[in-house]
């Protein structure tokens, strides 16, 4: 039934209804003004879109008269089949929220990324918790402890170039940590207030910004100008500002030699970190190739 009704609509209508579903499913709410701002339509048209979506998914949204907002229904069932990558792009970059059509690329394109086996309903619990600033109980598969149940207070999604994490306060360890999304087996929203020390403002590693200076590897690169051009360096240096919590991921993804004397050998090491002192106090440096604290170097 839903497929027939969608087919009868114009592409622009389907795109707007897809946006409605994304907001409801992953944020937990939508207002008419969200449609007005996103698509430049009139309020009356936004009201019609919300009505049409309710016909497609009668139990997918309810109207909160007190908050004057449409909220996700308890018995929500998706109308659209969004690919995982499309959802993550929308959540992180704010576009790609149209109807999930299977279109051919304009030119030949291939990627080397592994497919993402991610439960979108579980993801929606996390994203709604982030939006509401609430805690979540998750079943998590850790390499060290196996399957465990823990409570976290998530506040951001983060992508390290290979996989996605959720960043949040872990009530079990009493610290802020990253949790791999595909290792979360289940998640449910928790009621109750979040304490001040569990909020993003208290995450030192997340809020600290470090500036990394990357240069062509002095030992492994025969033609430094090639690397300078490839990475768009200025005066032979690429300066990158990154959150301390993400620095280790970045350095590993780009195979940056983090030794004091640029001593890592191998054709994969095209870059060297010139200012190791910028990493002082960064906690996830076990990921940084060749890095050792000064006292152990």
């Amino acid at each position: 039934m839903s497929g027939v009704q969608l087919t009868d609509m114009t592409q622009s209508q389907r795109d707007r209804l897809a946006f409605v579903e994304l907001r409801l499913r992953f944020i937990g709410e939508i207002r008419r003004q969200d449609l007005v701002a996103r698509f430049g339509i009139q309020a009356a048209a936004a009201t019609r879109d919300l009505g049409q979506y309710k016909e497609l998914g009668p139990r997918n949204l309810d109207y909160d008269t007190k908050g004057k907002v449409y909220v996700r229904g308890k018995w929500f069932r998706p109308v659209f089949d969004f690919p995982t990558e499309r959802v993550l792009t929308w959540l992180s970059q704010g576009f790609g929220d149209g109807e999930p059509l299977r279109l051919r690329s304009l030119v030949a394109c291939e990627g080397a990324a592994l497919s993402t086996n991610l439960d979108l309903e579980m993801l929606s619990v996390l994203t709604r918790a982030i939006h509401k600033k609430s805690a979540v109980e998750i079943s998590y598969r850790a390499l060290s402890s196996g399957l465990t149940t823990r409570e976290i207070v998530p506040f951001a999604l983060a992508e390290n170039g290979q996989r996605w994490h959720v960043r949040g306060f872990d009530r079990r360890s009493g610290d802020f940590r990253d949790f791999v999304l595909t290792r979360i087996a289940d998640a449910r929203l928790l009621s109750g207030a979040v304490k001040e020390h569990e909020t993003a403002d208290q995450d030192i590693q997340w809020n600290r910004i470090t500036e990394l200076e990357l240069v062509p590897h002095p030992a492994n690169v025969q033609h430094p100008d090639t690397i300078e051009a490839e990475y768009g360096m200025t005066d032979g240096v690429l300066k990158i500002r990154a959150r301390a919590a993400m620095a280790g991921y970045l350095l590993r993804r780009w195979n940056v030699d983090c030794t004091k004397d640029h001593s890592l050998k191998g054709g994969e090491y095209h870059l060297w970190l010139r200012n190791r002192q910028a990493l002082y106090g960064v906690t996830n440096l076990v990921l940084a190739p060749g890095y050792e604290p000064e006292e152990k170097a």
Side-chain angles (χ1 to χ4, degrees):
M1 179 179 178
S2 296
V4 174
Q5 291 180 353
L6 284 172
T7 304
D8 293 340
M9 297 177 185
T10 64
Q11 184 62 53
S12 60
Q13 287 176 313
R14 293 196 296 268
D15 287 343
R16 295 197 300 273
L17 297 194
F19 175 77
V20 170
E21 177 155 303
L22 283 168
R23 288 280 312 186
L24 285 171
R25 188 176 184 185
F26 295 99
I27 304 300
E29 64 181 39
I30 187 169
R31 291 177 167 83
R32 287 189 306 172
Q33 186 57 35
D34 294 324
L35 282 162
V36 171
R38 171 63 180 82
F39 296 100
I41 60 177
Q42 298 297 317
T47 300
R48 287 195 297 271
D49 287 338
L50 290 166
Q52 286 180 323
Y53 182 79
K54 189 162 182 70
E55 291 182 9
L56 294 173
R59 299 191 294 180
N60 283 5
L61 73 165
D62 298 313
Y63 187 68
D64 180 356
T65 55
K66 183 178 180 180
K68 296 183 178 180
V69 59
Y70 290 91
V71 297
R72 173 177 161 139
K74 181 179 180 180
W75 304 104
F76 182 94
R77 292 293 182 272
V79 173
F80 294 92
D81 181 20
F82 285 100
T84 300
E85 293 75 13
R86 185 74 166 273
V87 173
L88 291 170
T89 298
W90 177 71
L91 289 168
S92 61
Q93 301 178 35
F95 59 82
D97 49 20
E99 182 190 9
L101 297 178
R102 301 295 189 269
L103 299 179
R104 294 180 59 186
S105 56
L106 298 179
V107 297
C109 298
E110 289 292 339
L114 296 175
S115 60
T116 304
N117 183 26
L118 180 61
D119 183 346
L120 290 182
E121 194 56 30
M122 178 278 296
L123 176 63
S124 77
V125 175
L126 297 175
T127 54
R128 283 180 282 142
I130 293 172
H131 181 70
K132 296 178 179 179
K133 296 180 173 57
S134 62
V136 176
E137 181 183 81
I138 63 173
S139 297
Y140 188 72
R141 290 185 171 89
L143 292 176
S144 58
S145 55
L147 183 63
T148 60
T149 299
R150 62 184 76 201
E151 295 181 5
I152 66 172
V153 181
F155 64 80
L157 298 180
E159 193 260 338
N160 68 4
Q162 292 181 311
R163 55 192 180 186
W164 284 82
H165 300 78
V166 60
R167 180 79 175 179
F169 183 83
D170 177 22
R171 288 176 172 173
R172 180 178 178 178
S173 65
D175 198 6
F176 290 94
R177 293 189 174 184
D178 298 331
F179 297 91
V180 181
L181 290 182
T182 49
R183 293 182 185 173
I184 300 177
D186 191 24
R188 69 179 183 90
L189 289 167
L190 297 176
S191 59
V194 169
K195 297 180 180 179
E196 184 178 356
H197 72 274
E198 300 175 327
T199 62
D201 292 342
Q202 304 302 310
D203 187 347
I204 296 175
Q205 292 293 307
W206 183 261
N207 291 295
R208 174 187 167 187
I209 304 298
T210 182
E211 185 171 283
L212 308 175
E213 296 181 3
L214 310 183
V215 298
H217 199 285
N220 297 337
V221 175
Q222 293 184 349
H223 301 284
D225 58 312
T226 299
I227 300 301
E228 292 175 16
E230 179 180 350
Y231 289 93
M233 295 182 177
T234 301
D235 297 328
V237 182
L238 176 62
K239 295 182 178 181
I240 299 177
R241 290 171 57 82
R243 295 185 185 276
M246 300 296 294
Y249 297 126
L250 184 152
L251 294 167
R252 181 174 66 172
R253 179 186 181 185
W254 286 7
N255 292 319
V256 179
D257 182 349
C258 298
T259 61
K260 188 176 182 178
D261 56 355
H262 45 76
S263 59
L264 292 183
K265 305 300 181 183
E268 69 270 28
Y269 298 112
H270 295 164
L271 300 169
W272 176 56
L273 178 64
R274 186 173 72 175
N275 62 332
R276 293 177 79 254
Q277 67 274 14
L279 299 180
Y280 179 79
V282 176
T283 58
N284 68 346
L285 294 181
V286 66
L287 304 173
Y291 180 84
E292 292 184 3
E294 288 292 340
E295 58 269 20
K296 295 183 180 180

